[in-house]
Amino acid sequence: MTDLTSLTLSEARDGLARKSFTSLELTEAHLKAMEAARALNAFVLETPDRARDMAKAADGNIAKGAGGPLAGIPLGIKDLFATKDVRTTACSKILGNFVPTYESTITSQLWRDGAVLLGKLNNDEFAMGSSNETSCFGPVVNPWRREGSNTSLVPGGSSGGSASAVAALLCMGATATDTGGSIRQPAAFTATVGMKPTYGRCSRWGIVAFASSLDQAGPIGRTVRDASILMRSMAGHDPKDTTSVARPVPDYEAAIGKSVKGMKIGIPKEYRLDGMPAEIEKLWSEGAAWLKAAGAELVEVSLPHTKYALPAYYIVAPAEASSNLARYDGVRYGLRVPGRAIADLYENTRAEGFGAEVRRRVMIGTYVLSAGYYDAYYLRAQKVRTLIKKDFEDCFARGVNAILTPATPSAAFGVGEKGGADPVEMYLNDIFTVTVNMAGLPGIAVPAGKDSQSLPLGLQLIGRPFDEETLFSLGEVIEQAAGRFTPMKWW
Ligand code: GLN
């Protein structure tokens, strides 16, 4: 039998339905791969016993012809999703050994559809970061390496564990979240596919909040089709999240292979940055040529407020974070560091529990929301946000179906290489992704090529609100043209 971990999710689903193998065999193969890949630090908690129980239950259902759309498929879950009776930490010391008594809506939908939990995946602390280096469990290592080098590279962040685990074939797919790029940037760094849905498409209930008006969960998969399959189970209206939208969930997989003939694809001139590496420029033109060959029409578009997106994001996101993170006070859950008076307990707990990047965000956020600065920073950033959204609306009103951009300004970088002296160096990584969150739009990152050091690079497609299907169709055109990329196993 071929190594079961090398199948795509859709192949595994079909194999399970044909009874070529069982979910227990598929799950065991992945548990073995996880054990052999601990050097990547992708999982912060392995749940093998639960995985076996869930796999056996799935096998029973499949035998009865009652398996759901993900019956028996082993998945990894970002540690930002609350999982009932399974430790959930957001990779922060402040949550300590928090064990939720409830399940997030998204994960409950995955289990409803028959998926199997392999364990919880590493991420940047509270999803703040672009390299997975802010996790209290330590950095995740990218399974990709520069040609002829054994330097450890970051998998991107904040969903670094999800991307690394999917790329290294440790799980068949993973959940992730994206506030400013955390699904798409790690997907681009690891040659996986990441879909950030429209704001409101997936429920945020039971996901640890970072910046509530920007946060949206989505899948990371091995292929565009795999991401589309996961997306169908993750999406949907949830009365427990008032920002989730009551629209029917389409069969996203049906969008795979659909013709893109006649579609209008925008190429935004503002994304052509000064000093952008030639290989990113080349990848972008190649992607445009593939879409053109498939019958799409390419048009230059302008998104004039793009240059304000990153500074505005780094006001809005910390502002919301400072408010959301106020609940970690040492009283309700997680870590408690006692003090003489209650205020000392708060201070001691937060000083000890939060890492440096989280403290920085809380301080920036509190500052921009404080009396006297609110109008100058927060309110102005919100106005800029409206203009960014309008840029996209104008573009779509002219008949553009989707926008093509690079996913990241570079390939994966080395662990410890960026942001040590200047945090802005790290923030610049989000330059192509934050606009999408500011506008609440869907965006997909698809592997499209390699750089001169043989590291994967991704392209991003940005869509109209609730038109994830078009992104899956276009994404698959790129995937077909570029081919699939798998890292050489060294771990
Ligand atoms: N890198 C961005 C940040 O640090 C985005 C993170 C995310 O999308 N969760 O805020």
Side-chain angles (χ1 to χ4, degrees):
M1 204 183 329
T2 53
D3 179 8
L4 294 177
T5 64
S6 67
L7 301 173
T8 65
L9 188 156
S10 72
E11 287 165 351
R13 174 193 61 184
D14 300 347
L16 286 167
R18 279 196 311 270
K19 312 223 166 41
S20 308
F21 45 85
T22 64
S23 169
L24 190 58
E25 287 166 338
L26 185 66
T27 300
E28 292 292 357
H30 283 89
L31 290 171
K32 216 172 116 208
M34 283 159 64
E35 228 181 276
R38 293 211 176 111
L40 301 179
N41 202 24
F43 280 87
V44 295
L45 182 73
E46 298 176 8
T47 55
D49 295 340
R50 183 174 288 255
R52 289 184 185 109
D53 287 347
M54 290 174 95
K56 283 180 207 154
D59 281 330
N61 287 332
I62 294 169
K64 283 188 288 187
L70 290 174
I73 300 291
L75 300 179
I77 301 296
K78 187 176 182 179
D79 207 26
L80 222 61
F81 291 75
T83 39
K84 187 170 185 287
D85 302 330
V86 176
R87 191 190 70 187
T88 302
T89 68
C91 298
S92 178
K93 252 167 68 184
I94 208 152
L95 272 159
N97 286 318
F98 175 60
V99 178
T101 53
Y102 53 90
E103 188 77 32
S104 82
T105 298
I106 286 194
T107 47
S108 68
Q109 289 171 184
L110 295 171
W111 316 142
R112 170 202 71 197
D113 288 352
V116 169
L117 169 67
L118 289 172
K120 301 299 290 287
L121 292 161
N122 207 338
N123 51 254
D124 277 301
E125 184 178 4
F126 284 106
M128 297 173 192
S130 308
S131 62
N132 216 119
E133 292 170 291
T134 71
S135 164
C136 74
F137 295 103
V140 174
V141 176
N142 193 329
W144 287 89
R145 285 174 162 180
R146 295 178 183 125
E147 199 160 9
S149 147
N150 55 13
T151 303
S152 289
L153 303 180
V154 303
S158 66
S159 312
S162 306
S164 178
V166 173
L169 310 181
L170 312 184
C171 56
M172 307 222 78
T175 64
T177 62
D178 191 314
T179 304
S182 282
I183 293 177
R184 292 158 288 154
Q185 185 252 19
F189 277 12
T190 56
T192 55
V193 176
M195 163 62 91
K196 191 267 291 189
T198 312
Y199 186 79
R201 181 66 285 188
C202 293
S203 171
R204 291 181 296 109
W205 195 80
I207 302 174
V208 176
F210 166 7
S212 306
S213 77
L214 300 160
D215 296 346
Q216 188 63 200
I220 291 185
R222 295 182 185 177
T223 63
V224 177
R225 183 184 292 275
D226 286 3
S228 78
I229 295 169
L230 289 165
M231 178 71 193
R232 189 180 185 184
S233 293
M234 292 174 74
H237 178 234
D238 177 12
K240 289 195 291 236
D241 172 5
T242 51
T243 64
S244 87
V245 174
R247 288 170 75 112
V249 177
D251 176 4
Y252 292 111
E253 196 182 355
I256 306 292
K258 229 170 148 180
S259 167
V260 302
K261 225 177 165 141
M263 279 194 190
K264 235 175 163 179
I265 309 299
I267 307 286
K269 60 170 190 253
E270 290 79 6
Y271 282 57
R272 193 154 282 123
L273 305 176
D274 286 344
M276 188 155 87
E279 41 200 19
I280 302 280
E281 182 80 45
K282 185 168 154 266
L283 180 89
W284 197 8
S285 333
E286 236 161 40
W290 291 329
L291 295 179
K292 195 166 172 199
E297 182 197 342
L298 294 152
V299 288
E300 192 183 84
V301 295
S302 173
L303 299 166
H305 296 92
T306 300
K307 64 168 180 272
Y308 304 114
L310 201 64
Y313 169 85
Y314 275 99
I315 291 173
V316 174
E320 292 187 23
S322 77
S323 157
N324 271 328
L325 269 53
R327 72 191 70 170
Y328 303 103
D329 55 8
V331 176
R332 280 169 282 194
Y333 24 58
L335 181 77
R336 175 177 303 169
V337 184
R340 270 192 313 157
I342 185 81
D344 300 322
L345 178 140
Y346 293 160
E347 282 179 18
N348 296 347
T349 302
R350 290 168 67 84
E352 166 112 21
F354 289 143
E357 184 59 30
V358 175
R359 287 203 299 269
R360 174 159 38 234
R361 307 275 179 124
V362 169
M363 284 191 282
I364 293 171
T366 307
Y367 179 82
V368 299
L369 288 175
S370 60
Y373 295 104
Y374 181 91
D375 289 359
Y377 292 103
Y378 183 70
L379 203 63
R380 189 164 291 196
Q382 289 289 40
K383 288 180 180 168
V384 170
R385 184 173 181 180
T386 305
L387 293 171
I388 291 166
K389 188 159 176 280
K390 194 175 163 298
D391 282 353
F392 283 106
E393 282 164 2
D394 290 347
C395 193
F396 293 133
R398 287 202 303 274
V400 168
N401 297 91
I403 294 165
L404 179 73
T405 79
T408 56
S410 73
F413 44 88
V415 173
E417 221 170 81
K418 250 185 202 178
D422 178 8
V424 175
E425 195 188 9
M426 188 66 83
Y427 300 168
L428 284 170
N429 241 279
D430 308 328
I431 197 118
F432 298 132
T433 48
V434 290
T435 51
V436 178
N437 302 73
M438 294 293 265
L441 299 171
I444 192 170
V446 182
K450 285 191 182 170
D451 75 354
S452 56
Q453 295 175 302
S454 268
L455 291 180
L457 294 170
L459 284 169
Q460 171 178 242
L461 285 151
I462 305 168
R464 296 177 177 185
F466 297 99
D467 191 14
E468 284 82 2
E469 288 160 285
T470 292
L471 300 186
F472 283 126
S473 301
L474 291 165
E476 208 242 358
V477 170
I478 292 179
E479 183 178 73
Q480 288 297 323
R484 253 187 86 198
F485 305 90
T486 350
M488 246 197 350
K489 193 160 179 248
W490 52 264
W491 55 91

